[in-house]
Amino acid sequence: MNTQNRFSKRYSFEFFPTKTEAGAEKLLATAQQLARYEPDFFSVTYGAGGSTRDRTIDAVIGTQTATGVPTAPHLSCVGDNKQEIIELLDHYKANNINRIVALRGDLPSGMGLSSSELRYANELVSLIREHSGDHFEIEVAAYPEMHPQAANFKQDLLNFKRKVEAGADAAITQYFFSADSYFHFVDRCESLGINIPIMPGIMPITNYSKLSRFSESCGAEIPRWVRKQLEAYGDDIDSIQRFGEEVVTRMCERLLQGGAPGLHFYTLNQAAPSLAIWENLKLGERR
Ligand code: FAD
């Protein structure tokens, strides 16, 4: 079990770029609220193929400038050519952005991998290191329950290792609801000589139907007992949120006690669900 950061946990919050001016203002207010908790960084997602390029840039630079919290753009490589990626790297560097979450991204339907200059995230990490040296701290994605398109667990782990060897500094996992899947994954990484911090990605439970649909597509398993209880609550949002908060808080407690180097919250641009877990765990006092 990786315990290297046991005594200096890192906490981060993820946002998505919004489509409207009002959404952007709301996102900034959420970021300002979360900034009071002194997270290590924020990150902002990116639509593969560049669909949110300008909005991601604006949200990243706007959030970092307004809050002072280092903010990392997600950057995916499928569908963007190398020149576009290099221009983005230069733009971020010129605007004092010094972290990046480097991803393959999910292809827009109808687009094959063969039409992409860069096909996998390890190639993107290599390009960032070749072009920008050590300027950016690079996080990559990791999948304790296996990436849905991977041939098998072992291949997925070896592919994860390629990203580390290409120069990734740390990883953030896909969300999961079983602490054991995380511990097992970290143990297997260690046995392959992968020693970078692997931050559990935490998804607060606030809406069952959305969570269920999304989990299906990204390969995150909702344990049967959690699913059954959430289904039984039907439209009773308060009970869903109360139960979800308890389940996720308990899992986070186990993760931190078991040596996880911190937590990365998928906020979906809402402060309250992540902060409820933060307060339950007294994260401010654990640092
Ligand atoms: P990769 O590491 O390239 O892996 C993709 C698949 O290919 C895996 O099955 C892997 O086993 C296999 N593979 C990897 N390398 C090779 C190789 N060299 N040869 C053969 N097979 C290989 N998506 C977005 O579009 N925008 C976002 O902002 C975004 N943010 C995310 C943040 C986090 C923390 C996570 C966990 C995911 C995020 N995603 C995002 C989703 C992500 O883009 C998808 O899961 C995507 O399908 C895989 O991206 P990856 O970087 O893990 O790809």
Side-chain angles (χ1 to χ4, degrees):
M1 177 69 235
N2 186 343
T3 53
Q4 59 186 326
N5 267 356
R6 196 182 178 102
F7 299 109
S8 56
K9 308 280 190 194
R10 297 184 336 175
Y11 301 107
S12 48
F13 295 105
E14 178 174 317
F15 308 123
F16 60 83
T18 59
K19 289 190 175 141
T20 61
E21 191 76 9
E25 276 171 29
K26 197 164 158 257
L27 171 55
L28 205 53
T30 300
Q32 277 165 330
Q33 186 181 354
L34 292 170
R36 288 185 216 122
Y37 292 76
E38 300 182 1
D40 293 270
F41 67 97
F42 291 139
S43 77
V44 182
T45 60
Y46 183 78
S51 60
T52 69
R53 186 181 290 116
D54 291 343
R55 288 188 279 127
T56 298
I57 294 172
D58 290 347
V60 165
I61 296 172
T63 302
Q64 178 165 297
T65 306
T67 64
V69 175
T71 303
H74 292 206
L75 179 54
S76 63
C77 58
V78 283
D80 279 6
N81 64 43
K82 280 190 191 179
Q83 193 49 41
E84 284 167 329
I85 293 172
I86 284 171
E87 282 166 18
L88 261 180
L89 294 174
D90 290 343
H91 186 66
Y92 282 131
K93 189 172 174 183
N95 282 279
N96 299 319
I97 301 298
N98 59 13
R99 319 179 69 110
I100 282 192
V101 182
L103 304 145
R104 183 195 73 177
D106 284 318
L107 293 167
S109 58
M111 243 183 92
L113 264 186
S114 54
S115 60
S116 253
E117 270 193 271
L118 300 178
R119 290 153 43 102
Y120 296 107
N122 66 298
E123 298 167 28
L124 176 60
V125 176
S126 296
L127 177 66
I128 298 172
R129 287 290 176 235
E130 267 164 42
H131 183 73
S132 308
D134 286 336
H135 175 77
F136 295 105
E137 169 143 3
I138 302 177
E139 327 263 345
V140 290
Y143 301 86
E145 296 178 347
M146 203 182 91
H147 184 266
Q149 291 152 12
N152 54 50
F153 245 118
K154 181 147 189 234
Q155 284 306 319
D156 207 27
L157 277 161
L158 293 174
N159 289 329
F160 176 52
K161 190 173 185 197
R162 289 175 205 256
K163 298 193 275 195
V164 179
E165 288 169 347
D169 296 296
I172 302 170
T173 74
Q174 182 57 275
Y175 69 86
F176 53 84
F177 297 106
S178 153
D180 287 326
S181 71
Y182 171 83
F183 292 132
H184 181 69
F185 179 76
V186 173
D187 284 346
R188 288 190 74 177
C189 287
E190 281 209 327
S191 70
L192 286 173
I194 300 171
N195 286 310
I196 59 168
I198 299 173
M199 316 285 293
I202 303 301
M203 179 69 87
I205 298 175
T206 55
N207 177 314
Y208 176 58
S209 53
K210 275 193 199 153
L211 181 71
S212 174
R213 265 199 313 278
F214 192 54
S215 301
E216 193 67 39
S217 65
C218 72
E221 183 161 297
I222 307 176
R224 184 176 179 280
W225 69 276
V226 175
R227 208 159 20 89
K228 290 287 169 197
Q229 182 59 77
L230 290 170
E231 278 167 10
Y233 285 131
D235 293 334
D236 180 356
I237 297 291
D238 285 349
S239 296
I240 289 176
Q241 293 185 351
R242 240 192 333 268
F243 173 70
E245 187 183 315
E246 186 190 322
V247 168
V248 177
T249 298
R250 275 199 201 159
M251 181 184 73
C252 291
E253 186 67 60
R254 270 198 72 202
L255 291 169
L256 293 172
Q257 276 176 358
L263 300 171
H264 175 84
F265 290 93
Y266 293 106
T267 70
L268 303 180
N269 290 4
Q270 294 175 41
S274 300
L275 286 180
I277 298 166
W278 180 290
E279 299 287 0
N280 291 341
L281 293 167
K282 301 189 172 26
L283 292 185
E285 296 165 25
R286 283 178 188 249
R287 301 181 123 154

